[in-house]
Every structure is written in structure tokens, then in C-alpha cells.
Amino acid sequence: MVAVIDSLRQQIATCEATLQDLHQQLAEAEHNQRQQERVLRKTKPLTTDPLDHDMNFGVPDDFRSEVFAVLDHEAEPQEQDESNKLGRWPLEKNEYRRYGRQLIMPEIGLQGQLRLRSSRVLVVGVGGLGCPAAAYLVGAGVGTVGLVDGDVVEESNLHRQILHSSARVGMTKVESAMVALNSLNPNVKLIPHILRLTPETAISIFKNYDLVLDCTDTPASRYLISDTCVLLGKTLVSASALRIDGQLMVLNNPPSPPGDPTGGPCYRCVFPKPPPPESVVSCGDGGILGPVVGVMGVLQALETIKVLTKKATGTEPAPADPPTLLIFSAYSNPMFRSIRLRSRKAKCTACSAQATISPQVLESGSLDYAQFCGSINPIDALTPQERISAESYAKLRSGVNPFTGTVSNKDNHILIDVRERVQFELCSIDGSVNIPFSTVSITPGLSLNPNTPSPGSNDMYVDENDWATQLRQTEKPIFVVCRLGNDSQLTVKKMKELGLNYGGKRFIGDIRGGLQAWREKVDAEFPEY
Amino acid sequence: MQNDEAVPITVEFSGGLEILFSNQKKYSLSLPSQDESGAPANVAFLVRHLCENVMKDPRKELFILDGTVRPGILVLINEADWELEGEDQYEVQKGDHIMFVSTLHGG
Ligand SMILES: [Zn+2]
């Protein structure tokens, strides 16, 4: 049976690799076809065109160029630039039509549209924020949009990363986004940067753009992007989202040189020190609601358009808005809140006169952003004797004790699942009992003095102790499982602190690798989420 | 805690910090008007008060580090960054709205 499963897994992996390859070939072929069509359109021989004679000999020049513009309304920017020299209007005919609804607004107008068209914007991260942000910027006619991302599209991205599609799972996010953006607005020049941003490459990529959007998902990338923007004098539109909350800031606005206190604050001014790594929660662990991150990405596009089209008053450049942090909380009322932020910090290591971060320091690679932000060491809280593999646990459930080889009753142990209730309800191992890790972690261990419960929280306090009390009713061995095998270790430790192992007489241990290992080694049908 | 010598304030948690505070986002509190040494209650005292009397979660390090709010948490006093108001030395006033916001990094 195991051999069959292995063989099937291998076949699936091979097919998936082939499929991924096909996706890439398709993207390439489609791209080549588009290129060819462009060339054909440019070099269309006049003699094959039934309108040829009339257009060349019977029609006034102005009218002729207009007709050609209509016939060729999907023309490429280069062609537009050429015909612009001849044309009467600052924008192409198709541009008037395409952008008409925003052109007639005083906030944009002709000058705004021309500014957008001549702007070069870099979107770093083509995920939940970057997809909607790029879609609206490309839709609005920003002339050049660069896309930075080193990841490939995964199925679990699709509920929020709206530029990608089911068929493009496995393709790089940058290529997938380019397919969607190109079909949305072929007039925009898209520049792919299929890589993960590093200190060594950031400056050379950023320097070709006017404004940067931080659509990434780690503290390290946020500091790197901010530092690079300060060094190059680029305004930064930064957003983030998790679960039901989002945050948005326009930083380094105006982008005055480091040391100039009139410039807007940078990310380091607002957050001089990174958060402890154990407090950083990813969307994969904490969850994310699609429209929440979507709202934040759309707001990034909005702020970008506002900055790019800001009107000068007389000869003075337009003053920048005072720095604020916009907080979005989907389940609060009101949902939006704007907070006044500080100005540049006098001792900021990036943007002040005392800054220590320079282009040389950055490009030398001597700034280790990953180390600056720290990382969580893999949890290794238990001894090998306190851990059991998923396979061994499966044997134990089938009645064979994996340690002694003796046959025993399958009901002779307790399986505790410490995932949060909402995850437990999605899927669980038969017979397991749910004690959420959040409940375990707020139960004071023996080393801590229990806090005096304040009025109103008594119910919760009783519940917290209840699980331990219940586990004291029996002496059956306890196995603890979680999603990946981290929280389960901490729970085993806590149970022992609470004396549930009766001084070593009762076995308490966890399943190594958690439910992920259970799915990989024992039950391939167990859902992956 | 409820006495004449108390300052009624609203405290709010956002960006996931509410998880450390029994999943309750908003608290109406009566803060003693003086700290342990008899000085007027300031934000530093409020932070200690929250940690000792309101926070049930034993993971104190996710809220406090080196005697002050840990890096990655913005403190907002009446909708403004506390850096504009004197940071933790700001003396808490009746009716103040003090918000603790954890930075998010997801995207
Ligand atoms: Zn700064």
C-alpha cells in the first residue's frame, strides 16, 4: 500500500512539473505571438489594405491620421509617441476614451493624465496588496509599472491575489500578473523583476522608478525598501494587512534628502526597532480575508495616483499631506481611522543628518536585514523520548504499541489537538479532543503566579483550569497534535509544568510534524489548508 | 479601583494585540490618578497597570520589553502618535482615548 501511495505521489509530482513547464511555455508563446502582432501591425503593407488607395490619395491628412488612430486603437505606446508628433491632441484618441471617466475630474484632468503617463512606478510584491494596486495603476494609465517578486502562484493565493488565475498556478507571480495586466491595458509598459529583493540589488532596481509601493510581507523587506527609497529620494506608499486589519502610510513624502527635516518620515522613523520575531504573524499562520488586503492594495494605488498627480500651486511645488497612518479594521465601527504621525526623527539611522545607512553600506551587503529583524528558531522543546512520529502514532491507534510491540486497546490514550477551534472544526483526527493553544498559553504554569482575575473575566478563568482538571481525571497517556508540531511541544511542556504527568508516571508527548506529517505519512486524504 | 481618585479613559487594542487582552478590543478603564510613587498617572504607569491588572495572557513579553511597550507597537494618544505628545511621560487626562496598535506585516 505504501509503495502504491509513493508511486502515485511521484506520478503526481511529475505531472505537476510538466504542467508547470507547459504553463511557462504557453506564457512565452502568448508573449511571442503578441510581439509578432505588434510587428505585423507596424509593417502592415499598404497594398493589401482595401482602404489603401483612398487613404493615401483621397483623404485629407488630419482625417487620415484620425481614421488610422481609430482602426489602430490598440496601438502600442511607441506608435502613439510617433503619431503624437503629428497629432493635434496631447493624448491619443484611444486614451481620451479609455481614461475619459477620470480625465473629466478636476483632480486628474489632462495634466494629471500626462503626469501618470510619464510616471514610472515600482510595485514590490505581487501578492494580496500588489495585485489590486498594480491593476488600478495600470488601469489608470501609469506609463511604466515594474513588478518585483520571486515567488510562484499557489492555489492558496487565489482568494485574494486577483491578477492570478487557476490556470497559472505554478507560474511566477510576475509573469502571471503581466498576462493579466497586459490584457487590462496594453498601453502600459510592464517591466518584470523576477527575484527576491536583496540589499545588493535594491538600488539598481529602484533607481529607474519615480515612486515605490511596498506590497511585501516581512519586516526585513519593509526596512530594506524604506532605506532604499530614502537613499534614492523616492516616495514610498506602504501597506500591510493581516486577518481583518490593514495599515497604510505614505512615507518619505516629500522625499527630501537624508538630513533635511522637511522631508516626510521614513519607516525607521515610525518603527526604529523591528518587532520581536515571535510577535510577527504571517497571513499563512494568522489568516487573511481577501477584501481586507484588497482594500489596502486599492488604497495604495489611490495614494500613488494622488502623489503623482498633485498639482503645483503657482511656481511652488505642491505641499505634501502631513504624515498619517490609516488603520482599517473590517469588523470595527468606524472601519477607518486616521492617526497623525511624527515627522522625521532627529536620530533616524536612515533619513537624519546622523544617518549611518549609505548607498555604499547597502550595496556592500554588510547590512543584514534578516538578522536585524531576527528569526524564530525552530521550536525544540522536547526530548526525542517525548515525541512520536506520525507513522508510529498510526500504529498505536491500530492497536500496536510502537515502543513495546504489544497489542493494546486503541482507546487507551487521549489525543489532544491544540489548534484553534475554527481550525479543529475544519478537519480533525477521529476521537481527538480540542484544547486550543490560546487557552493553554493563558493558563498560568507553576512557575508563574496566577493573576487575580478581574471582575467580568471569571468564566474564562474557570475554563482555563477546567481542561487541566479534566485531564487529571484519568491516567491514560496523552498525545498532543497541532498543525506543524510547534504548539504541541509547548503544550506538552505546559502539561508537565502543571504536573499532569504525575511525576513521570504518565506518558505525555507530541506527534512530530503535526497534522502535516499525518497527511504526508499516514492519511493522504487529510485536508491541507 | 473605582474611587474618586480615578481617571476614566478608553483603551483600545488593534492589529492583533487584542488577542493578548482576552480578545476584547475596547476597554473603559478607571486609572488610579497617581502612580506608585504618588506622581500623576502617565502613560508609562498606564502600561504597567494594563500589564498587571488587565492582561491575562502570561506572554507579557509580547506587550512589554525593557519596561516599556515593545518595538512594533505604536501608542496613539487621542488619534496622534505618542511621540507628538511626550511619549510615556504624557499625563493621562480624563476622557483620553489611548490606542495600542501592533504593526502588521502581511501582504
Ligand atoms: Zn527616518
Side-chain angles (χ1 to χ4, degrees):
Chain A
M1 198 61 199
V2 177
V4 175
I5 291 172
D6 278 349
S7 153
L8 284 172
R9 280 211 189 99
Q10 210 141 36
Q11 286 183 47
I12 290 170
T14 313
C15 287
E16 277 172 347
T18 313
L19 188 60
Q20 187 175 340
D21 188 46
L22 283 171
H23 281 308
Q24 270 158 10
Q25 288 184 38
L26 175 65
E28 251 171 57
E30 285 174 342
H31 178 74
N32 290 343
Q33 189 189 15
R34 279 194 301 275
Q35 294 291 99
Q36 276 178 5
E37 279 171 359
R38 278 175 215 171
V39 173
L40 282 177
R41 205 184 294 140
K42 270 188 199 162
T43 58
K44 189 161 51 185
L46 291 172
T47 46
T48 63
D49 192 327
L51 280 176
D52 185 27
H53 182 270
D54 284 349
M55 291 306 276
N56 279 299
F57 303 106
V59 184
D61 279 357
D62 284 352
F63 180 61
R64 190 174 63 189
S65 66
E66 271 193 28
V67 171
F68 273 132
V70 172
L71 290 173
D72 206 22
H73 77 274
E74 280 185 328
E76 290 304 301
Q78 310 90 290
E79 298 168 47
Q80 288 167 13
D81 289 342
E82 281 162 24
S83 50
N84 254 352
K85 286 168 200 152
L86 315 166
R88 297 162 55 187
W89 312 108
L91 294 173
E92 277 298 298
K93 191 147 188 166
N94 79 76
E95 293 178 297
Y96 283 102
R97 252 199 314 268
R98 179 182 282 267
Y99 307 121
R101 301 295 187 276
Q102 71 190 35
L103 278 171
I104 58 175
M105 293 170 52
E107 289 80 3
I108 305 294
L110 176 65
Q111 289 311 313
Q113 193 66 47
L114 290 170
R115 281 202 190 97
L116 289 176
R117 193 172 71 177
S118 63
S119 295
R120 305 169 59 90
V121 171
L122 184 67
V123 177
V124 188
V126 192
L129 294 166
C131 283
Y136 277 100
L137 293 174
V138 165
V142 169
T144 303
V145 174
L147 304 166
V148 184
D149 205 308
D151 288 346
V152 297
V153 179
E154 292 176 27
E155 200 173 357
S156 65
N157 301 148
L158 299 176
H159 82 293
R160 65 189 189 284
Q161 302 186 9
I162 54 164
L163 292 178
H164 310 311
S165 73
S166 305
R168 295 200 291 270
V169 168
M171 190 187 277
T172 66
K173 288 190 176 179
V174 168
E175 288 169 302
S176 166
M178 285 177 74
V179 172
L181 293 171
N182 195 58
S183 89
L184 173 64
N185 188 352
N187 301 308
V188 173
K189 186 175 178 204
L190 301 171
I191 301 180
H193 304 278
I194 305 176
L195 47 84
R196 183 165 284 271
L197 203 65
T198 63
E200 293 86 347
T201 55
I203 287 181
S204 64
I205 294 173
F206 282 30
K207 68 174 197 289
N208 299 314
Y209 295 90
D210 306 317
L211 183 147
V212 177
L213 278 72
D214 184 348
C215 304
T216 64
D217 59 0
T218 66
S221 55
R222 294 191 180 275
Y223 283 102
L224 169 59
I225 291 168
S226 174
D227 291 348
T228 310
C229 284
V230 168
L231 291 175
L232 296 174
K234 316 282 183 196
T235 292
L236 171 61
V237 181
S238 179
S240 57
L242 183 70
R243 301 193 182 101
I244 53 170
D245 294 320
Q247 295 168 359
L248 172 83
M249 293 184 286
V250 182
L251 296 166
N252 202 32
N253 182 38
S256 314
D260 182 343
T262 64
C266 76
Y267 194 78
R268 279 185 197 270
C269 294
V270 184
F271 300 111
K273 285 189 207 156
E278 61 272 18
S279 73
V280 176
V281 184
S282 70
C283 292
D285 291 337
I288 178 71
L289 200 54
V292 169
V293 68
V295 160
M296 301 318 294
V298 172
L299 285 171
Q300 279 183 288
L302 174 62
E303 290 298 338
T304 300
I305 290 170
K306 280 163 70 179
V307 171
L308 295 177
T309 59
K310 193 132 199 166
K311 286 189 181 67
T313 45
T315 53
E316 291 286 297
D321 290 328
T324 59
L325 166 69
L326 183 70
I327 298 176
F328 174 68
S329 199
Y331 285 75
S332 296
N333 189 9
M335 285 197 269
F336 287 98
R337 211 172 214 156
S338 186
I339 305 296
R340 281 181 292 133
L341 281 181
R342 54 160 314 129
S343 51
R344 276 192 177 177
K345 195 180 170 86
K347 289 180 178 169
C348 179
T349 50
C351 72
S352 74
Q354 304 172 31
T356 52
I357 297 167
S358 66
Q360 296 73 28
V361 168
L362 201 66
E363 290 196 306
S364 72
S366 62
L367 269 179
D368 189 336
Y369 286 83
Q371 193 188 28
F372 173 64
C373 294
S375 58
I376 315 172
N377 294 323
I379 292 178
D380 189 15
L382 302 180
T383 63
Q385 289 73 37
E386 294 172 286
R387 312 202 70 188
I388 180 173
S389 70
E391 298 101 311
S392 294
Y393 177 69
K395 277 189 203 153
L396 181 136
R397 281 174 71 86
S398 70
V400 182
N401 182 321
F403 298 118
T404 63
T406 54
V407 177
S408 53
N409 181 347
K410 68 188 274 192
D411 292 331
N412 66 352
H413 70 277
I414 303 170
L415 177 62
I416 306 287
D417 186 329
V418 292
R419 291 174 299 154
E420 295 308 303
R421 175 156 298 278
V422 61
Q423 292 187 43
F424 181 76
E425 284 169 356
L426 295 177
C427 50
S428 60
I429 296 179
D430 271 352
S432 57
V433 177
N434 184 218
I435 303 175
F437 185 66
S438 58
T439 305
V440 174
S441 63
I442 54 172
T443 305
L446 290 187
S447 54
L448 296 159
N449 285 327
N451 291 317
T452 316
S454 60
S457 64
N458 281 325
D459 293 349
M460 196 165 171
Y461 199 69
V462 172
D463 281 343
E464 284 161 30
N465 285 329
D466 210 27
W467 66 269
T469 310
Q470 289 203 5
L471 288 175
R472 280 201 180 88
Q473 310 289 313
T474 78
E475 295 189 357
K476 289 180 185 173
I478 299 174
F479 293 88
V480 183
V481 70
C482 65
R483 197 173 173 188
L484 299 170
N486 293 327
D487 291 348
S488 58
Q489 296 183 53
L490 301 177
T491 304
V492 168
K493 271 196 103 167
K494 176 61 80 64
M495 287 176 171
K496 292 189 174 178
E497 268 174 48
L498 293 170
L500 294 179
N501 62 336
Y502 308 130
K505 277 187 233 151
R506 173 200 230 178
F507 174 83
I508 303 182
D510 85 322
I511 297 174
R512 193 184 285 118
L515 291 165
Q516 178 173 287
W518 180 256
R519 178 177 55 251
E520 285 167 4
K521 306 286 184 195
V522 179
D523 180 3
E525 294 291 297
F526 196 85
E528 180 180 12
Y529 61 88
Chain B
M1 222 160 73
Q2 299 277 352
N3 57 42
D4 298 336
E5 292 291 304
V7 189
I9 55 166
T10 316
V11 173
E12 204 171 338
F13 301 99
S14 166
L17 275 183
E18 61 275 15
I19 290 167
L20 300 177
F21 290 85
S22 314
N23 264 312
Q24 188 177 329
K25 283 200 157 200
K26 222 175 202 173
Y27 284 82
S28 295
L29 294 182
S30 291
L31 185 70
S33 62
Q34 294 179 340
D35 71 7
E36 304 87 342
S37 67
N42 58 19
V43 173
F45 173 62
L46 169 66
V47 169
R48 288 199 296 279
H49 178 83
L50 288 172
C51 207
E52 282 158 22
N53 298 296
V54 183
M55 186 175 175
K56 299 286 178 343
D57 199 304
R59 296 172 294 172
K60 306 291 181 194
E61 71 279 6
L62 292 184
F63 187 59
I64 283 196
L65 192 72
D66 301 331
T68 187
V69 173
R70 71 153 169 84
I73 295 179
L74 272 185
V75 186
L76 308 166
I77 300 170
N78 299 324
E79 319 272 289
D81 191 339
W82 74 341
E83 308 239 1
L84 299 168
E85 308 287 344
E87 301 193 33
D88 63 358
Q89 295 309 301
Y90 170 84
E91 285 177 17
V92 178
Q93 308 293 309
K94 214 169 157 183
D96 274 351
H97 176 260
I98 298 177
M99 194 169 177
F100 297 87
V101 184
S102 173
T103 48
L104 307 174
H105 299 95

